[in-house]
Amino acid sequence: MSQQGYVATPPYSQAQPGMGGYPTGFGAPPSQAHYGHYGAPPQPYAAQTAGVLKPAASSPSGMPPPPVSSQYGSPIQQNGAHPQKVPPPAVSAPAMPPYGQPLQRPAYHSMAQATPPTQQITNQMSTMSIGGYGQGPLQSPQSPTSSAAPQPYQMPSPPAMGHPPMSPTGPQPPLMSACPPMAAGPPMGATGAPPMGMPNSQPGLPPMGGGGFQQPGGPQGFPQQPGPYGGQMPGSQMAGPQAGAFPGGFPGGAAHMAGPPQKKLDPDSIPSTTQVIEDDQAKRGGQLYTTNLRGQVPPLVTTNFTVQDQGNASPRFMRCTTYSFPCSSDLAKQCQVPLATIIKPFATVPKNETPLYVVNHGEAGPIRCNRCKAYMCPFMLFIDGGRRYQCSFCNCVNEVPVQYFQHLDHMGRRVDLYERPELSLGSYEFTATLDYCKNNKPPNSPAYIFMIDVSYNNIKSGLVKLICEELKMLLDRLPKEEGAESSSIKVGFVTYNKILHFYNVKSALAQPQMMVVSDVAEMFVPLLDGFLVNFQESRAVINNLLDQIPDMFADTNESETVFAPVIQAGVEALKAAECSGKLFIFHSSLPTAEAPGKLKNRDDRKLVNTEKEKILFQPQRGVYEQLTKDCVAQGCCVDLFVFPNQYMDMATMGDIPTHTGGSVYKYSNFQVEVDGEHFLTDLRRDVEKSIGFDAIMRVRTSTGFRATDFFGAIYMNNTTDVEMAAVDCDKAVTVEFKHDDALSEETGALIQCALLYTSISGQRRLRIHNLSLNCSSQLSELYKSCETDALINFFAKSAYHAILNQPVKTVREILVKQTAHMLACYRKHCASPSAASQLILPDAMKVFPVYMNSLMKTPVLVGSAELSTDERTFHRLSVMSMGVEESQVLLYPRLIPLHSMDIVNEGVPAAVRCSEERLSENGMFLLDNGQTLFLWLGQACPPDLIQNLFNVPSLAHLSPDMTSLPELDNAQSKKLRSIICAISQQRPHSMKMVIVKQKDRSEMLFRQHLVEDKGLHGGASYIDFLCYVHREIRQLLT
């Protein structure tokens, strides 16, 4: 089929037809619309059939919102070809011409326009049958050059699809084209259920709440659900298991939904994430995964496996959205599956796997291709008896340096192949020469500077005392090189409120000395010698200082603070010491004191769900923008611990940490007895974790495609160099690729990630990760080797980046469009023919819709004025640097039943589906989303279980403020504590435990994470979303 047969997803920054405010099907098409994720030749687009109703304008005045400059996906950086790498300077290849022509897209309806009431969804579910989730007999797509005339999808024109021009409380029109009508039972939400989205205040507006599909009107808040403990949704009943299920189907195979519509739709008949996770663990868990094959799909991130590196990087370092790239850009446009890799260059290697080898080539330095500067790796081809090698990335033939020469065996391989890590392994390190160092001088050891806000709030809450007590012990555990006796990291201390206090802790002093800088406008460091010291040498003076700080400020009344000058002071101190390092800043309030970087409260929730909502997520520019550049240039990473009691402008304050490879930790309404241990665990992990400083990363690819966009806790000065003041074991960078030529099935696609950094001992090193992927002209191969967890990581980051320039509503619509588009393309080109009423999903993506729906219900995208702006921004900043493991559990939390746990059996009990229907009154469940642990207790929880776990006679006696379990000497208590310990060790951050009693107020917070149910602040249930996507797919295919 020709590529024109597929409708593109609208770009994030483009006004697209059929979307709020823009007239549909009239006048000339926008000249610069881009096709989803890929450029393409211009195309005519189908004018909308006369009679389709336009949605009401999204701005009250009816004026179209001004177009915004940045594109979704494209914004961050447009990459050149393979110009030159990190220094030393050498000749680079010529940059490629700009890629792809923008394309005009066919108009098609926004998700907002087609908001079926729940009754219509019920009808639709009755007629939709969920087919096999595997591949049927595969049909190869027709080539784009086939003789079939390109037919753009025509849109149906009944009023069902246009939004009815009536107030949200008016009657809904019958649904005509989406699904055949059937006798409907009561609507799904049953009595008193609220709309799935947020009710819209303007009559006639598409009622797009949190990415949900809703009934107009109705109360807001938590649904009053009838029936037993869960919300029973009247709907259609799935028929029982049937023979002849498709491969990859879940138990019961292809179940056709039929039967009396009054009965509840069986949630077990739709794809289950927990089942997919269990199946993969059963099939591949505990096995050795060797990386010797190109384009091999690794086990899921949730599966326990051991990696043996045999020429490709471990999936712990690199995971891809698909392990089989399409051969041409036309195929890529057709399926719209993003081509991306998530790179975690410093990922922790388990103890039972081999750590990375360090290769030292002496003064000659690492061997590199003369043209594209790729480093020596297993993909290089040695020729001419071993005297020359052909680079697999750019095909350039290079001479082998004399000292590196080795003979070839009868297979054409070097005889020292297995003695050299860079010829036989996917990941390894090189020691860098002086050419790779700043000013051609070896770097100094890094430094950690602790900067404590000693304003009234932090003294009163006991935070300052807590930090000082902890640091005495923690500084003994600074990270050190393998085999080193002690850490070479230097430490320094600053306290501040409106002014800054620096401390001289030189080992020769009997008492620490304080130096005050009150001119915060012109920040300088008042001492050089004695500020940054070795902890072991100055231990006595430092402990003395840490004892004195809480007493020194005990009577303070100063509540105003500065912030930008604090970071400036840290950068200046590192500059003076000529080293890189990290600032640990403990801060509690909006910086309102007169100083550079002073902030004012700009929290305006009236902007939520408007064109201007993006302002809430945008940082303040000026001082902070310059500070970010200074930090990156100096290799100064900022880790920010905030303890807010009110609005703090996280968008601005968190901007420097997220551009310097740092982290933001947030403890709202901090109380030492409740949150103290949670904070200290985070601080310990943060100080101890493995890390590299002053890093530059370059991603090289073989010919035919290139890296175009980068998402993560990074800074980019140009289109190719990813700069990170520091990079630690939890930070991941998501990289998107685009075609600039055809790829070949024979050679595949090669990716090399090279990271130049300073180690904790002050050594300059290069860390190399290589990965080879398959290429195919069959779309079925691409869908077969997709990885849902990596896909959703990409979509989360690209959407969270897009909201800085786009209305949140637009971003949500595009996510749904692209989901439908990817699945419609599979249905059209890869699945065996079947009834249109069947929903057919690729086996590797069968649970993709549940993750996508969960993403649209996250605080960032849900668009609810009930959520705090800082909470939404904090969530956005956290996700931008997440690896695949963290984004997976965040978007589909583990719900673990504890009442039936097997005391004897080791390990964590199997999780159940993340829905209220799985809870039971006499049960106890643990919900883990990587950020918080919720322990949910049913009203009828057995008293003996409560006694054994909490040492209180009944649920009523249990304090809701408890954040840890008492250590009791019985089997159940030990088992539950071991489960919590096992889960905590898998997560990068410490997780606060929250105890939730059924029907308590705290249950609202817990229910937000039951992602298969309707969202508390708007957003559809999994079943409703699947119906909606199915209808979008059918519309695309008609």
Side-chain angles (χ1 to χ4, degrees):
M1 101 132 203
S2 140
Q3 72 181 68
Q4 278 121 316
Y6 252 80
V7 183
T9 58
Y12 275 59
S13 64
Q14 203 69 37
Q16 105 252 24
M19 204 172 267
Y22 291 87
T24 321
F26 296 106
S31 59
Q32 280 297 88
H34 280 245
Y35 194 117
H37 274 278
Y38 302 92
Q43 278 177 248
Y45 67 99
Q48 179 153 346
T49 322
V52 174
L53 297 154
K54 284 195 291 178
S58 51
S59 58
S61 64
M63 291 294 289
V68 192
S69 57
S70 166
Q71 290 306 108
Y72 176 42
S74 66
I76 311 215
Q77 305 293 348
Q78 273 332 90
N79 219 348
H82 306 286
Q84 140 201 347
K85 198 99 336 149
V86 287
V91 189
S92 74
M96 296 283 177
Y99 166 59
Q101 270 300 51
L103 143 116
Q104 282 90 25
R105 82 188 11 76
Y108 68 82
H109 296 287
S110 77
M111 171 179 166
Q113 289 165 272
T115 35
T118 44
Q119 182 164 345
Q120 292 163 1
I121 291 178
T122 313
N123 297 351
Q124 182 183 348
M125 279 309 257
S126 346
T127 60
M128 162 176 124
S129 77
I130 298 193
Y133 292 86
Q135 328 237 359
L138 299 168
Q139 303 160 291
S140 67
Q142 291 172 302
S143 75
T145 51
S146 83
S147 58
Q151 286 296 322
Y153 285 116
Q154 296 299 326
M155 297 181 308
S157 57
M161 302 318 286
H163 189 72
M166 54 180 75
S167 75
T169 48
Q172 291 278 342
L175 190 68
M176 295 170 89
S177 62
C179 51
M182 275 185 62
M188 268 184 163
T191 45
M196 286 173 231
M198 298 292 299
N200 214 310
S201 55
Q202 289 175 13
L205 261 180
M208 256 296 295
F213 327 106
Q214 67 193 57
Q215 278 169 284
Q220 208 173 303
F222 198 69
Q224 296 294 314
Q225 271 133 337
Y229 188 72
Q232 302 282 330
M233 295 187 173
S236 11
Q237 180 63 44
M238 286 248 183
Q242 301 184 353
F246 285 89
F250 24 97
H256 289 268
M257 299 189 190
Q262 293 78 1
K263 288 198 188 139
K264 180 175 144 293
L265 175 67
D266 179 13
D268 288 329
S269 56
I270 56 176
S272 157
T273 302
T274 49
Q275 191 61 52
V276 167
I277 289 170
E278 274 177 43
D279 292 349
D280 196 71
Q281 177 63 38
K283 188 169 145 197
R284 307 183 75 174
Q287 295 185 3
L288 189 66
Y289 173 75
T290 52
T291 67
N292 54 343
L293 298 176
R294 186 177 84 190
Q296 194 176 197
V297 182
L300 297 180
V301 284
T302 45
T303 299
N304 297 318
F305 60 98
T306 306
V307 180
Q308 187 176 43
D309 186 341
Q310 291 193 359
N312 280 291
S314 156
R316 303 192 201 289
F317 296 120
M318 294 175 85
R319 279 186 176 268
C320 294
T321 52
T322 175
Y323 293 84
S324 179
F325 277 17
C327 279
S328 69
S329 59
D330 285 346
L331 276 179
K333 283 167 209 156
Q334 200 170 297
C335 68
Q336 283 197 18
V337 174
L339 309 177
T341 179
I342 294 94
I343 305 172
K344 212 183 214 185
F346 261 76
T348 306
V349 177
K351 289 189 170 59
N352 60 348
E353 291 177 20
T354 315
L356 267 57
Y357 288 98
V358 182
V359 179
N360 190 344
H361 284 312
E363 288 182 15
I367 313 291
R368 307 177 68 178
C369 168
N370 290 331
R371 185 196 288 162
C372 71
K373 301 294 168 211
Y375 291 85
M376 180 54 69
C377 69
F379 310 145
M380 301 299 189
L381 183 67
F382 285 86
I383 52 174
D384 199 9
R387 285 186 287 278
R388 297 192 296 166
Y389 69 92
Q390 183 171 22
C391 171
S392 306
F393 293 89
C394 68
N395 299 322
C396 173
V397 174
N398 300 268
E399 297 291 325
V400 173
V402 178
Q403 74 278 7
Y404 197 69
F405 173 77
Q406 186 54 272
H407 294 286
L408 307 185
D409 65 12
H410 65 290
M411 306 267 290
R413 297 179 308 188
R414 283 174 60 120
V415 283
D416 63 353
L417 178 73
Y418 293 108
E419 291 158 34
R420 291 195 177 272
E422 73 274 24
L423 299 180
S424 54
L425 299 179
S427 300
Y428 43 86
E429 292 198 325
F430 290 118
T431 48
T433 56
L434 290 179
D435 295 336
Y436 293 85
C437 303
K438 273 186 189 163
N439 309 325
N440 286 9
K441 275 178 21 190
N444 294 319
S445 300
Y448 281 1
I449 304 177
F450 297 90
M451 314 184 95
I452 305 168
D453 165 1
V454 289
S455 62
Y456 177 74
N457 273 353
N458 283 358
I459 295 290
K460 190 184 68 167
S461 70
L463 176 67
V464 173
K465 189 170 175 55
L466 186 74
I467 293 169
C468 291
E469 287 299 314
E470 179 63 29
L471 285 178
K472 288 185 212 169
M473 292 171 290
L474 186 55
L475 294 175
D476 267 326
R477 305 212 294 267
L478 291 169
K480 53 179 191 248
E481 284 287 349
E482 288 280 317
E485 277 186 29
S486 66
S487 174
S488 53
I489 292 175
K490 299 240 186 334
V491 293
F493 302 88
V494 173
T495 55
Y496 67 94
N497 39 46
K498 268 203 317 200
I499 57 179
L500 278 77
H501 324 102
F502 294 79
Y503 297 93
N504 184 344
V505 283
K506 206 155 73 168
S507 54
L509 297 173
Q511 284 283 337
Q513 294 172 347
M514 178 203 269
M515 298 194 179
V516 178
V517 176
S518 52
D519 181 5
V520 288
E522 296 290 324
M523 186 43 63
F524 66 99
V525 178
L527 74 163
L528 289 179
D529 190 26
F531 179 61
L532 294 177
V533 296
N534 181 302
F535 174 64
Q536 302 302 340
E537 292 167 12
S538 296
R539 180 191 295 268
V541 191
I542 289 173
N543 285 345
N544 195 336
L545 168 69
L546 294 172
D547 284 334
Q548 289 180 30
I549 287 176
D551 301 334
M552 256 190 290
F553 299 99
D555 302 326
T556 186
N557 289 321
E558 185 55 73
S559 58
E560 284 196 312
T561 56
V562 295
F563 183 63
V566 179
I567 297 177
Q568 188 70 51
V571 175
E572 295 299 332
L574 294 178
K575 256 187 206 162
E578 295 186 352
C579 68
S580 49
K582 187 190 254 197
L583 313 181
F584 295 80
I585 301 179
F586 305 92
H587 193 90
S588 69
S589 59
L590 195 69
T592 52
E594 281 306 325
K598 172 184 174 177
L599 296 175
K600 59 180 187 294
N601 187 332
R602 58 190 186 104
D603 183 15
D604 183 0
R605 302 220 193 145
K606 291 198 286 294
L607 299 179
V608 174
N609 280 325
T610 69
E611 291 287 315
K612 291 185 174 173
E613 184 171 4
K614 55 181 181 258
I615 295 169
L616 298 175
F617 297 106
Q618 292 168 351
Q620 297 290 298
R621 297 276 170 226
V623 176
Y624 289 98
E625 204 167 12
Q626 186 54 45
L627 259 179
T628 301
K629 287 180 183 166
D630 295 347
C631 285
V632 174
Q634 189 51 47
C636 169
C637 167
V638 178
D639 273 358
L640 179 61
F641 294 79
V642 290
F643 307 86
N645 295 329
Q646 54 207 26
Y647 175 75
M648 255 183 99
D649 197 353
M650 291 295 302
T652 302
M653 296 187 69
D655 195 49
I656 295 181
T658 44
H659 280 94
T660 56
S663 307
V664 181
Y665 299 88
K666 181 166 171 281
Y667 312 89
S668 299
N669 305 313
F670 180 82
Q671 294 171 276
V672 168
E673 49 288 347
V674 179
D675 307 287
E677 201 45 49
H678 172 41
F679 155 63
L680 291 178
T681 310
D682 273 337
L683 178 59
R684 286 170 200 142
R685 287 190 186 185
D686 199 45
V687 168
E688 293 171 25
K689 64 185 170 189
S690 62
I691 188 169
F693 294 94
D694 202 8
I696 298 183
M697 185 173 94
R698 178 71 71 85
V699 178
R700 291 181 174 83
T701 56
S702 51
T703 51
F705 73 115
R706 63 199 165 93
T708 53
D709 293 328
F710 300 86
F711 306 100
I714 56 175
Y715 180 79
M716 297 199 69
N717 216 4
N718 56 36
T719 57
T720 51
D721 295 327
V722 178
E723 296 183 58
M724 293 172 277
V727 54
D728 63 47
C729 54
D730 301 325
K731 298 291 181 293
V733 180
T734 299
V735 184
E736 189 184 5
F737 301 103
K738 300 271 170 66
H739 285 77
D740 46 18
D741 206 346
L743 297 171
S744 118
E745 294 197 15
E746 285 161 41
T747 54
L750 309 179
I751 302 168
Q752 183 179 80
C753 162
L755 180 84
L756 174 65
Y757 72 98
T758 301
S759 71
I760 41 184
S761 60
Q763 189 182 28
R764 205 71 176 140
R765 289 196 189 157
L766 283 150
R767 181 171 283 216
I768 313 293
H769 298 298
N770 303 289
L771 188 62
S772 59
L773 305 175
N774 287 332
C775 293
S776 174
S777 53
Q778 306 286 328
L779 282 177
S780 56
E781 287 302 313
L782 177 144
Y783 282 102
K784 210 187 285 180
S785 64
C786 274
E787 186 179 314
T788 292
D789 300 331
L791 273 169
I792 203 66
N793 178 286
F794 171 82
F795 277 114
K797 290 186 183 182
S798 47
Y800 283 10
H801 181 269
I803 60 162
L804 293 177
N805 307 303
Q806 296 301 313
V808 172
K809 175 171 167 259
T810 309
V811 175
R812 278 196 309 254
E813 286 170 351
I814 287 155
L815 288 173
V816 178
K817 284 279 159 37
Q818 193 157 356
T819 302
H821 206 118
M822 293 192 301
L823 299 175
C825 179
Y826 172 79
R827 171 72 185 257
K828 182 159 188 171
H829 297 289
C830 312
S832 51
S834 59
S837 59
Q838 276 196 312
L839 174 62
I840 297 183
L841 303 167
D843 193 46
M845 285 172 71
K846 66 184 175 195
V847 291
F848 181 73
V850 75
Y851 283 105
M852 180 54 83
N853 188 40
S854 174
L855 172 60
M856 303 216 309
K857 291 188 285 190
T858 55
V860 182
L861 295 178
V862 80
S864 161
E866 290 173 27
L867 294 164
S868 95
T869 304
D870 275 350
E871 198 50 53
R872 296 177 73 196
T873 306
F874 173 67
H875 181 90
R876 181 186 165 273
L877 296 176
S878 309
V879 170
M880 286 309 284
S881 61
M882 272 185 186
V884 179
E885 303 86 336
E886 295 89 73
S887 57
Q888 184 276 329
V889 76
L890 180 69
L891 293 171
Y892 199 92
R894 283 203 290 182
L895 185 61
I896 300 164
L898 299 173
H899 45 277
S900 54
M901 59 188 174
D902 183 353
I903 310 280
V904 188
N905 196 359
E906 294 262 314
V908 179
V912 294
R913 294 179 76 143
C914 203
S915 164
E916 187 194 23
E917 301 202 333
R918 306 292 151 163
L919 304 176
S920 56
E921 292 216 338
N922 56 359
M924 178 184 290
F925 292 80
L926 189 68
L927 185 139
D928 153 38
N929 70 347
Q931 315 270 315
T932 312
L933 275 176
F934 293 95
L935 185 56
W936 184 90
L937 307 169
Q939 281 179 318
C941 210
D944 56 332
L945 184 61
I946 299 288
Q947 178 69 52
N948 284 344
L949 295 177
F950 303 102
N951 206 21
V952 293
S954 73
L955 198 57
H957 292 78
L958 190 61
S959 159
D961 292 337
M962 187 184 279
T963 57
S964 61
L965 294 173
E967 296 195 15
L968 304 176
D969 189 17
N970 65 66
Q972 284 172 315
S973 175
K974 286 176 183 167
K975 175 67 183 173
L976 179 51
R977 281 180 287 120
S978 81
I979 289 171
I980 289 174
C981 180
I983 290 172
S984 301
Q985 283 172 351
Q986 295 172 359
R987 307 285 174 237
H989 298 295
S990 107
M991 293 189 288
K992 182 178 172 181
M993 192 172 86
V994 178
I995 290 183
V996 176
K997 299 182 197 176
Q998 183 184 351
K999 305 248 165 71
D1000 232 6
R1001 269 189 65 186
S1002 58
E1003 203 185 17
M1004 300 281 276
L1005 194 60
F1006 165 78
R1007 288 195 188 211
Q1008 288 179 24
H1009 302 289
L1010 299 176
V1011 295
E1012 291 201 13
D1013 301 338
K1014 283 182 199 172
L1016 233 64
H1017 301 288
S1021 69
Y1022 175 27
I1023 289 179
D1024 295 354
F1025 182 73
L1026 210 52
C1027 286
Y1028 185 83
V1029 167
H1030 182 220
R1031 215 184 61 226
E1032 288 278 299
I1033 291 170
R1034 289 176 64 181
Q1035 199 186 325
L1036 283 172
L1037 295 175
T1038 45

